[in-house]
Amino acid sequence: MSLDDAQAPTGPIPSALPSVSVRLTTMAHGGGCASKIPPGELEEAVSALAGQSAGDVIVGLDDGDDAAAVRVREDLAVLSTADFFTPVVDDAFDWGRIAAANALSDIYAMGGDPVVAINLVGWPRETLPYDLLREVLRGGLEIAAAAGVPVIGGHSVDDPEPKYGMAVTGTAHPERLLRNDAARAGLPLTLTKPLGVGLLNNRHKATAEVFPAAIETMTTLNRDASQAALAAGARAATDVTGFGLLGHLFKMMRASGVAAEIDRGAVPLVDGAAEALRDGFVSGGTRRNLDWVREHVQAGPDITEDDLLLLADAQTSGGLLVVGEVPGYPIIGRTLPSSAEAPAGTLSIRS
């Protein structure tokens, strides 16, 4: 089945197709954003592409921001991003919803409005029926429709592992972007979704248990949080996905030349995450995240290894991490001036 030049359905989204008895999460080596290439390896691989932030390129690859931004008018920037991953849940419709919300999040994390999306699909055509693929696409279409974004065409390949996501184009005012290099010291840090979906997704993969709270947070658009951050005057933000809270915060603090402090007790958790951590459902991606940032972490005496693993948990379709107070969302820490004892990118964790 090719998605090239395919048109999204018009009118009401069709009803669900009969379920197919297959566990999608067993068909991939990893799940969701936990299957990302480790951050340190990725930075090394794309380093040759950096240095293009000149002329009309406002945001390029230099600091690993959430989307590219190119100025097309004095009052208009075009944003571009793409995101796809292997199944994070066994339900095909929910996987499609989660992947779409995750892809759209990159535009919201930049303070933009998504305009159009196209599907990206890898499908084991000799192993999985197309009925399942239609359910995945239907889930993606439902979330895109909720965001007011048409899904127009896409691209597919025959792939031994199922993969789904979207490339999304959006717009923003060039002077109102939320960037990961614009953080200033002395401001609160706000987190707009709870942590822990990586732990629950890993438990789901191992046990087939379903966690409605995790699905609910992963399918929630970051649109309202983005608009609230802009209204509050924020200028720096990122979304928390595969590199975990610690990884994404480190990237933002390093790019901005400041440090940060996290209040572990203020970090919200999705229902069931603490139990999944206790029972050892920690993904390999989460452990790689912590290994990458560990040398930049200054942990307080009461902070345990489990605390650090939770803060490094590889999220899928996580919330926004905003520098500044955003009404209605919890403050989990603050930014700090860098110093000889705490160079730029240093993350202090206290209980």
Side-chain angles (χ1 to χ4, degrees):
M1 174 181 179
S2 174
L3 292 176
D4 295 320
D5 302 319
Q7 296 297 308
T10 58
I13 297 173
S15 59
L17 295 164
S19 61
V20 179
S21 180
V22 62
R23 289 203 59 210
L24 287 170
T25 56
T26 65
M27 301 197 65
H29 73 287
C33 289
S35 60
K36 280 186 173 182
I37 294 174
E41 295 176 21
L42 183 62
E43 286 189 347
E44 181 179 353
V46 303
S47 60
L49 301 176
Q52 298 181 73
S53 297
D56 292 329
V57 178
I58 304 172
V59 178
L61 275 172
D62 293 18
D63 295 314
D65 219 324
D66 297 292
V70 178
R71 189 191 307 270
V72 295
R73 287 196 323 242
E74 285 303 309
D75 62 345
L76 182 66
V78 171
L79 310 179
S80 182
T81 185
D83 209 312
F84 63 95
F85 46 69
T86 53
V88 68
V89 293
D90 289 325
D91 185 276
F93 179 71
D94 283 341
W95 174 32
R97 294 199 298 148
I98 293 164
N102 183 76
L104 291 163
S105 178
D106 284 341
I107 301 297
Y108 295 131
M110 297 290 294
D113 297 308
V115 173
V116 66
I118 59 174
N119 286 314
L120 303 173
V121 172
W123 200 254
R125 49 182 289 275
E126 295 184 354
T127 306
L128 291 179
Y130 286 133
D131 280 0
L132 272 182
L133 176 55
R134 283 190 284 270
E135 280 293 273
V136 176
L137 299 178
R138 190 175 71 86
L141 181 60
E142 179 174 279
I143 291 296
V149 177
V151 183
I152 306 174
H155 186 71
S156 65
V157 295
D158 188 356
D159 192 326
E161 285 189 336
K163 300 177 179 71
Y164 174 64
M166 290 178 169
V168 186
T169 301
T171 60
H173 194 290
E175 304 305 321
R176 298 192 72 213
L177 290 172
L178 297 173
R179 302 173 56 141
N180 74 351
D181 63 354
R184 294 184 292 109
L187 293 174
L189 287 169
T190 300
L191 183 65
T192 68
K193 284 186 184 181
L195 294 186
V197 295
L199 290 158
L200 294 176
N201 291 341
N202 206 36
R203 186 167 204 153
H204 173 69
K205 181 178 173 68
T207 68
E209 295 175 78
V210 177
F211 300 95
I215 294 173
E216 175 67 22
T217 188
M218 288 188 288
T219 55
T220 298
L221 290 170
N222 279 327
R223 174 183 54 199
D224 293 349
S226 176
Q227 292 173 351
L230 288 170
R235 290 294 176 263
T238 189
D239 62 348
V240 180
T241 54
F243 300 153
L245 175 65
L246 291 181
H248 288 285
L249 179 59
F250 166 68
K251 288 177 63 178
M252 185 160 57
M253 297 301 98
R254 179 184 62 180
S256 300
V258 296
E261 180 181 72
I262 297 175
D263 179 356
R264 165 64 186 85
V267 176
L269 304 182
V270 69
D271 291 346
E275 292 76 14
L277 177 65
R278 177 199 64 201
D279 294 340
F281 290 98
V282 179
S283 69
T286 291
R287 296 188 186 279
R288 290 190 292 270
N289 288 342
L290 182 54
D291 288 343
W292 183 54
V293 301
R294 192 184 292 274
E295 66 180 292
H296 307 285
V297 171
Q298 297 178 352
D302 297 328
I303 298 300
T304 66
E305 182 73 3
D306 275 357
D307 288 325
L308 296 178
L309 286 169
L310 180 63
L311 296 175
D313 187 40
Q315 304 300 282
T316 297
S317 192
L320 301 186
L321 178 62
V322 182
V323 178
E325 183 174 358
V326 182
Y329 299 97
I331 293 172
I332 65 162
R334 60 208 52 81
T335 55
L336 304 170
S338 59
S339 65
E341 294 75 23
T346 298
L347 309 179
S348 300
I349 318 295
R350 63 181 180 86
S351 57

